[in-house]
């Protein structure tokens, strides 16, 4: 299904994103699914850049779920302190690691159901794992994807689950991941929260700019 009347046409949006952000990818550095999972925990209320400064030392000290499940909590707190909310994050990392060891033999599962059954893992994080690590079509809706989707008229909702449904109808399944990654980049770089740069945007002529003052 294509986006409704007045919305930026799907064909134009997809072509523009492919042109503007051909190399879009997840910005959290990682060498395997577990590292990306931990990085997403640390990225809550924190920039990807700051998380990337913390994770190399973290994974040098603790090599995987079995190490982190049994690590001293205060030592993890110290290692992740600069990402903010470090007590909660250290606790979450330990619980997540323990669940992976207990339920999945220390491996990150590959299905939405198993991922979202892990402590602290929501649909957005599970979608990031599926798309970035396992090549499974997935549409993670973060604040940037949600904002741009609303402005271009592809959703009337602010609820991530509903936005995901709307996007899933507008974009071919095999392009979900690249689309969401590129749209997120557009939201970070051009269609920013305050004062979006519409005059510099390749969608300027086609976009209804919903909610933009
Ligand atoms: S920057 Fe402006 S024109 Fe571009 S997508 Fe956002 S609201 Fe639309």
């Amino acid at each position: 299904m294509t986006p409704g009347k007045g919305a930026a046409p799907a064909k134009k949006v997809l072509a523009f994103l492919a042109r503007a952000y051909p190399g879009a990818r997840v910005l959290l550095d990682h060498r395997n699914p577990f590292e990306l999972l931990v990085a997403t925990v640390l990225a809550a209320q924190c920039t990807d850049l700051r998380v990337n400064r913390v994770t190399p030392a973290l994974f040098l000290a603790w090599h995987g779920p079995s190490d982190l499940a049994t690590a001293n909590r205060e030592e993890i707190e110290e290692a992740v302190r600069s990402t903010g909310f470090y007590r909660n994050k250290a606790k979450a990392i330990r619980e997540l690691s323990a669940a992976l060891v207990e339920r999945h033999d220390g491996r990150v599962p590959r299905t939405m159901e198993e991922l979202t059954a892990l402590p602290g893992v929501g649909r957005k994080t599970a979608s990031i794992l599926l798309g970035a690590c396992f090549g499974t079509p997935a549409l993670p809706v973060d604040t940037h994807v949600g904002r741009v989707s609303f402005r271009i008229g592809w959703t009337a909702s602010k609820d991530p689950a509903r936005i995901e449904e709307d996007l899933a109808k507008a974009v071919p399944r095999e392009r979900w991941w690249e689309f969401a990654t590129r749209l997120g980049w557009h939201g970070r770089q051009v269609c920013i929260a305050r004062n979006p740069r519409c005059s510099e945007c390749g969608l300027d002529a086609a976009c209804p700019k919903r909610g933009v003052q």
Side-chain angles (χ1 to χ4, degrees):
M1 197 178 105
T2 51
K5 201 163 171 268
K11 217 171 156 186
K12 278 198 178 161
V13 172
L14 295 181
F16 160 72
L17 291 173
R19 255 194 334 270
Y21 309 102
R25 59 179 173 77
V26 166
L27 291 170
L28 292 167
D29 293 340
H30 61 282
R31 296 171 300 180
N32 55 52
F34 177 68
E35 291 190 0
L36 182 55
L37 195 50
V38 171
T40 61
V41 171
L42 296 175
Q45 311 287 320
C46 182
T47 65
D48 292 347
L49 202 64
R50 192 174 283 276
V51 172
N52 289 343
R53 287 200 200 110
V54 161
T55 44
L58 182 73
F59 297 124
L60 195 63
W62 295 284
H63 296 150
S66 49
D67 278 3
L68 277 163
T70 53
N72 179 290
R73 202 194 65 218
E74 285 168 9
E75 286 179 17
I76 306 178
E77 286 177 0
E78 206 45 51
V80 305
R81 180 185 279 267
S82 64
T83 67
F85 304 98
Y86 62 96
R87 289 206 171 93
N88 288 344
K89 289 180 181 177
K91 185 168 176 279
I93 289 169
R94 261 171 47 121
E95 287 174 0
L96 192 51
S97 300
L100 288 174
V101 171
E102 282 162 25
R103 299 180 204 168
H104 300 287
D105 206 17
R107 283 192 288 273
V108 176
R110 290 169 167 254
T111 67
M112 175 63 82
E113 293 68 28
E114 289 171 310
L115 283 164
T116 52
L118 293 167
V121 177
R123 199 169 168 87
K124 182 183 79 178
T125 295
S127 294
I128 291 171
L129 263 291
L130 291 175
C133 298
F134 302 133
T136 303
L139 275 168
V141 176
D142 65 7
T143 177
H144 306 291
V145 169
R147 180 178 65 253
V148 185
S149 300
F150 184 83
R151 285 175 175 170
I152 64 177
W154 282 24
T155 187
S157 178
K158 303 269 169 132
D159 169 45
R162 185 59 211 272
I163 295 169
E164 187 182 333
E165 282 174 23
D166 291 337
L167 296 181
K169 290 177 199 154
V171 179
R173 188 178 163 81
E174 68 277 8
R175 299 185 70 179
W176 284 359
W177 174 247
E178 65 181 29
F179 164 78
T181 317
R182 288 168 178 168
L183 200 70
W185 274 37
H186 188 56
R188 287 165 192 256
Q189 295 177 22
V190 179
C191 195
I192 49 181
R194 287 191 188 184
N195 303 319
R197 302 192 183 109
C198 298
S199 61
E200 301 165 28
C201 177
L203 291 174
D204 191 24
C207 177
K209 306 181 183 71
R210 291 204 180 130
V212 174
Q213 302 296 319

